[in-house]
Amino acid sequence: MSIEVVRLSRRFDRTPAVDGVSFRIATGELVALLGPSGSGKSTLLRMIAGLEPPDAGDIRLAGKNVTGESPRERNVGFVFQHYALFSHQTVAENIAFGLNVRKVPKDEIRRRVTELLNLVQLKGLENRYPSQISGGQRQRVAVARALAPRPGVLLLDEPFGALDAKVREDLRRWILELHELTRVTTLFVTHDQHEALEIAHRILVMNRGRIEQEGTPREIFDDPATPFVAGFIGENNLIRADVTEPHVARWGPLRFAVNGHPTGRALRVYFRPNDVSVSASEGAGLVRASIVKTRFRGPSLELLLRLGEDRHIVSHVPRDVALPEGGANESVVYVGIRAFHAYEES
């Protein structure tokens, strides 16, 4: 089932939570709504589910305008961040809830619950209560309950937000495997860019009620369309460089080849720490820097580098990289910027 929203808007106390948003999700896609808290993600998801009325715009599922229909009429499964399981019901009873409401025959309910217990890898836990299983298992029950009525669309609102890092990592892999098995059109909300980049086929980046950019994870990461996306996705150095001559912007000793920006303009330049190359020896295009601080990050080292007086950037380099004096403070290195994104200051 495809999802299409057309110029969808919702205001709270005259403040736009969602502001004229339009996009389309094809049948079977797995798409992330990514953005900071307050960007309108959950409000948009709740409008698609029928839990929040829009002030303007249309919602179409499988080409049908469902803007005025109830949540039940939309054939949408919804999973909340905090599970919303019934504490007095067993795992099996929670999964069966939507089927019982629809008065599905008992034999069919039993078959469907058994099928879903296997699908979400909870076989043997069907008689336990939510308080007797882990947070990750409770979230699997919530997903199984949403899938029980065979929805055409699955909506997940920060599905891993209440879980610790290791459980989130395991559930991300599980969601991918589940989607491969079910092929249900899935839209999930997250503020965690790592989740979105790892799981989604496409990402819709939201900010202040609008979509700043949509594209594949690689497109969003490698080619941010706006300064907001550049700053929000991944770790970044942000500097202010001046276009001092045609096609060249400068920041201290660093030079950036830029096109389409008039001389005299100030640019916001973003570049990732892993795009800052560090060498122990001089080379073409490299500038002199000194190491201010070294921080161990497991597979990599984080270097705080000083380029001249009061100019600092951060680099991430492999932990086994050859550094002068072993990376001791004030040791001299030579750095270059492999990739960057520049935007004119507004």
Side-chain angles (χ1 to χ4, degrees), residues 19-130:
D19 190 8
V21 166
S22 297
F23 62 83
R24 188 180 189 280
I25 298 172
T27 301
E29 269 197 296
L30 176 58
V31 175
L33 267 176
L34 173 65
S37 297
S39 59
K41 309 180 303 293
S42 291
T43 300
L44 179 53
L45 201 74
R46 290 175 63 84
M47 286 193 288
I48 295 170
L51 301 173
E52 191 79 50
D55 293 324
D58 293 325
I59 302 162
R60 299 167 187 163
L61 300 179
K64 177 187 176 186
N65 192 326
V66 299
T67 311
E69 292 187 354
S70 69
R72 182 174 173 181
E73 292 173 309
R74 298 185 187 201
N75 191 28
V76 166
F78 198 101
V79 179
F80 298 89
Q81 176 179 346
H82 295 287
Y83 327 124
L85 300 179
F86 300 112
S87 60
H88 63 285
Q89 292 187 347
T90 65
V91 166
E93 289 167 342
N94 266 283
I95 294 173
F97 176 77
L99 301 174
N100 283 317
V101 169
R102 289 165 174 78
K103 303 193 183 304
V104 174
K106 297 294 182 184
D107 287 347
E108 187 177 335
I109 291 177
R110 279 193 292 271
R111 285 194 299 271
R112 181 62 172 157
V113 169
T114 299
E115 176 188 352
L116 286 165
L117 284 166
N118 289 324
L119 185 68
V120 300
Q121 303 164 9
L122 291 177
K123 186 178 179 182
L125 301 181
E126 55 266 33
N127 294 319
R128 295 193 186 181
Y129 290 89

Side-chain angles (χ1 to χ4, degrees), residues 164-182:
D164 63 47
K166 182 62 172 69
V167 176
R168 285 203 307 269
E169 185 179 328
D170 291 342
L171 279 179
R172 287 201 293 265
R173 286 195 292 266
W174 174 74
I175 282 288
L176 275 172
E177 293 169 3
L178 184 68
H179 185 262
E180 287 297 317
L181 290 170
T182 63

Side-chain angles (χ1 to χ4, degrees), residues 237 271-278 305 313-317 335-339:
N237 291 281
F271 51 94
R272 304 189 189 284
N274 57 289
D275 284 324
V276 180
S277 64
V278 177
L305 303 169
I313 61 174
V314 173
S315 175
H316 292 167
V317 298
V335 304
I337 312 301
R338 287 186 288 257

Side-chain angles (χ1 to χ4, degrees), residues 294-303 315-321 323 326:
T294 302
R295 188 162 71 94
F296 181 69
R297 290 170 51 94
S300 65
L301 298 175
E302 180 175 281
L303 306 179
S315 175
H316 292 167
V317 298
R319 59 186 290 181
D320 58 354
V321 71
L323 295 173

Side-chain angles (χ1 to χ4, degrees), residues 207-346:
N207 181 38
R208 298 182 179 180
R210 296 184 176 182
I211 293 176
E212 293 258 345
Q213 185 175 359
E214 62 176 287
T216 66
R218 186 176 293 275
E219 289 168 345
I220 296 291
F221 190 86
D222 289 344
D223 193 19
T226 67
F228 171 79
V229 178
F232 184 69
I233 302 296
E235 297 180 68
N236 276 282
N237 291 281
L238 169 60
I239 62 172
R240 182 187 181 278
D242 295 309
V243 182
T244 56
E245 56 191 277
H247 312 304
V248 176
R250 292 178 180 270
W251 183 73
L254 288 177
R255 292 165 52 95
F256 300 91
V258 295
N259 293 312
H261 301 291
T263 302
R265 284 292 171 86
L267 304 181
R268 294 166 64 89
V269 179
Y270 296 82
F271 51 94
R272 304 189 189 284
N274 57 289
D275 284 324
V276 180
S277 64
V278 177
S279 174
S281 55
E282 296 183 64
L286 301 183
V287 301
R288 180 187 172 102
S290 57
I291 297 175
V292 176
K293 186 182 297 184
T294 302
R295 188 162 71 94
F296 181 69
R297 290 170 51 94
S300 65
L301 298 175
E302 180 175 281
L303 306 179
L304 177 61
L305 303 169
R306 182 172 59 243
L307 288 74
E309 190 174 345
D310 296 326
R311 296 182 190 272
H312 296 85
I313 61 174
V314 173
S315 175
H316 292 167
V317 298
R319 59 186 290 181
D320 58 354
V321 71
L323 295 173
E325 303 176 45
N329 290 356
E330 300 306 324
S331 56
V332 173
V333 293
Y334 298 89
V335 304
I337 312 301
R338 287 186 288 257
F340 66 90
H341 299 280
Y343 309 86
E344 289 190 15
E345 292 201 324
S346 53

